[in-house]
Amino acid sequence: MTAISTPNSFIRQIVVDDNASGKHGGRVATRFPPEPNGYLHLGHGKSIGLNFGIARDFAGTCNLRFDDTNPAREDVEYVEAIKEDVRWLGFDWAELRHASDYFEVFHRCAIKLIETGKAYVCDLSADEVREYRGTLTEPGRDSPYRTRSVAENLDLFRRMRDGEFADGARTLRAKIDMAAGNINLRDPAIYRIRKLTHQNTGDAWPIYPMYDYAHCISDAVEGITHSLCTLEFEDHRPLYDWFLDQLDLPHDRALSDPLRAAGFACEPGTPQQIEFARGNLDYTVMSKRKLMALVQDGLVDGWDDPRMPTLSGARRRGFPPAAIRTFWERAGVTKQNSVIEYGVLEGCVREVLDAEAPRRLAVIDPLKLVLTHLGADHAETLRFPNHPKNEAFGERDVPFSRELWIEREDFMEEPVKGFHRLVPGGEVRLRGVGIARCEDIVKDATGTVVELHCTLDADTRPGQPGADRKVKGTIHWVSAKHAIAAEVRLYDRLFDVADPDDDSDGKTYRDHLNPASKRVVRAWLEPSLAGVPVESTWQFERLGYFVADRRDHRTDAAVFNRVVTLRDAWAKVAPR
Ligand code: ATP
Ligand code: MG
């Protein structure tokens, strides 16, 4: 409830003020209105968090509304994916709606506009309309069809609706002002002819309404109080208001009685459009169109490729939904466009996973280490805490034996300055075991080190007098005999420049794909990771956070994705 007493954004302040003034009778109703023409991306997460968050915090409602007025680009696959993504982010809708639910309403409203002299059928082609529209500095010119009689307009519009005319032959246009400073008010189209099959309404309609017209009516029908959208719609707000003023839906009983009878809110009080800045992240692109191109051209492995900035990609990558919600809450809601560093999002992911992910041992680039003085059948079971900062996670058994896998990079035959791990003749602490000394190295015919022969200082085992003996490095390991094999996918940023959208150098975002964004390795995991559920997340000590891949991970074939490294590797190489 603190959200109500201390609003943290100008939009929440507006809601508080409206509640105080009784503008909407204390009601708060929002909606999230995606067009089902692709998968949702991280930017949509901002809008979802905002709309559903306000409804939650002000005891209001939020609808999920599919803005499906353009059947050329839309598909049920996207509808299902969007529903799943919204739920995954932790939200649920009051009502599931489609703009297409209101096709009859839009049509009746159009007839009202024609009858009141506020709309006309225009025969200009798309090119001619453009030519007549004028420019920012020049007024437009009236269409020669602007003065058609109401009767003629009604007749032509009926015939448009009956499918008599070809695609693009005519449009229905609002009659506003061809000299308006705001070009959006220069007689914008309301309906166009498109003989396309619609996913919900089939072939019932050969004409489809335009976004600006359909959106405000949909809001009014649903009784939306605060219609939140991104800044590019600021110049469309006068049109939003104009349509609603002309139609006066709640008070026009001929229009609203059938709606109310059909269970639609159609509350009095006009929805208010409020614009906010889009959320942007560096090192990524966030446009369904561009993401679609990456998928269609096979540059990524589908919409839910763990490198994709889609919500389904983030999910498969192992980003916790709470991290995405927190990220956008911290980013705030303003009218100022800005770009947030990708590292900030990763920071939120680390924060959640640090608290929630149990620790495990895994080796992703294995090198054999043999404790030569132990017997071949030497077997011990060690106890490891599952979380260093939270005892509630408990402990687990970790088998220890003569042959271990360690990380190849934890050994250097010729150490560079400052290397504190294992070197020939040197010592290192094996995590939870004690101090090992490298006595000998074994190489294959090519000179590659394939095995390290070590001895363990028994006096440094846990509980022994020398357990606290200082040694510079501590490394992790897994028992070779007990380890389970896994495919591990190491992901990095999909783009290697901060602003892939910047094409001023003649290159496009497709030229900036990071070739090192995916690396697949064979890894060895401690046996307690056998059979963990898909989507479970773990910290592999020293390596990062990992998730069991929701598509490919099986009980008998483990597949893990690296969610994020433990520290931000990009902060160093790419100062910003
Ligand atoms: P895209 O260009 O990626 O397709 P869009 O705005 O056309 O984005 P819609 O499906 O129309 O996508 O968006 C649904 C809602 O999400 C809209 O209210 C839109 O303003 C909002 N939205 C889209 N992208 C962002 C973003 N980056 N930040 C905040 N809100 C966004
Ligand atoms: Mg869109």
Side-chain angles (χ1 to χ4, degrees), residues 187-355:
D187 291 9
I190 300 178
Y191 268 98
R192 57 189 168 169
I193 304 175
R194 281 273 188 292
K195 293 189 179 146
L196 287 174
T197 304
H198 187 281
Q199 46 165 330
N200 280 343
T201 58
D203 295 322
W205 295 88
I207 54 172
Y208 289 96
M210 303 302 289
Y211 174 88
D212 282 330
Y213 172 72
H215 201 84
C216 56
I217 298 176
S218 306
D219 283 344
V221 167
E222 291 176 20
I224 301 302
T225 54
H226 301 85
S227 178
L228 314 180
C229 63
T230 37
L231 280 183
E232 67 272 21
F233 290 101
E234 196 161 19
D235 290 344
H236 297 235
R237 192 187 336 132
L239 185 54
Y240 182 103
D241 293 338
W242 186 88
F243 281 128
L244 292 184
D245 277 352
Q246 301 304 320
L247 293 166
D248 193 18
L249 264 169
H251 299 110
D252 182 333
R253 307 229 11 208
L255 283 176
S256 55
D257 280 356
L259 286 169
R260 292 197 183 97
F264 294 120
C266 226
E267 301 266 356
T270 308
Q272 179 187 358
Q273 175 179 308
I274 306 166
E275 308 85 15
F276 65 96
R278 288 178 101 81
N280 299 304
L281 279 168
D282 65 4
Y283 289 93
T284 185
V285 299
M286 279 204 286
S287 135
K288 279 181 275 181
R289 186 175 53 79
K290 290 179 179 172
L291 297 176
M292 169 96 70
L294 295 177
V295 173
Q296 286 178 341
D297 297 345
L299 297 170
V300 293
D301 307 327
W303 284 101
D304 69 347
D305 184 308
R307 293 166 294 178
M308 284 282 270
T310 50
L311 291 177
S312 54
R315 175 177 184 176
R316 198 166 162 208
R317 177 72 171 263
F319 282 19
I324 297 173
R325 292 195 302 265
T326 301
F327 170 72
W328 287 124
E329 269 163 32
R330 287 188 192 158
V333 178
T334 69
K335 278 188 176 285
Q336 235 62 54
N337 276 315
S338 66
V339 180
I340 309 173
E341 290 174 18
Y342 197 80
V344 176
L345 173 59
E346 290 177 326
C348 292
V349 170
R350 287 188 189 98
E351 212 175 291
V352 173
L353 293 181
D354 179 41

Side-chain angles (χ1 to χ4, degrees), residues 410-475:
D410 283 336
F411 171 78
M412 278 188 112
E413 190 178 2
E414 289 165 37
V416 296
K417 194 162 168 280
F419 184 82
H420 295 308
R421 289 160 282 163
L422 204 52
V423 301
E427 285 187 323
V428 79
R429 183 179 303 279
L430 295 173
R431 171 105 165 84
V433 175
I435 296 174
R437 172 185 296 276
C438 179
E439 311 286 3
D440 205 0
I441 59 180
V442 181
K443 295 182 179 179
D444 67 8
T446 68
T448 306
V449 177
V450 289
E451 226 171 79
L452 305 177
H453 289 175
C454 299
T455 50
L456 188 60
D457 179 353
D459 191 46
T460 60
R461 305 287 318 260
Q464 297 303 310
D468 291 335
R469 178 153 79 82
K470 290 270 178 296
V471 63
K472 279 233 168 103
T474 299
I475 66 173

Side-chain angles (χ1 to χ4, degrees), residues 73 153 155 161 188 408 568:
R73 299 189 301 213
N153 282 320
D155 176 60
R161 196 258 171 274
R408 185 167 284 278
D568 184 358

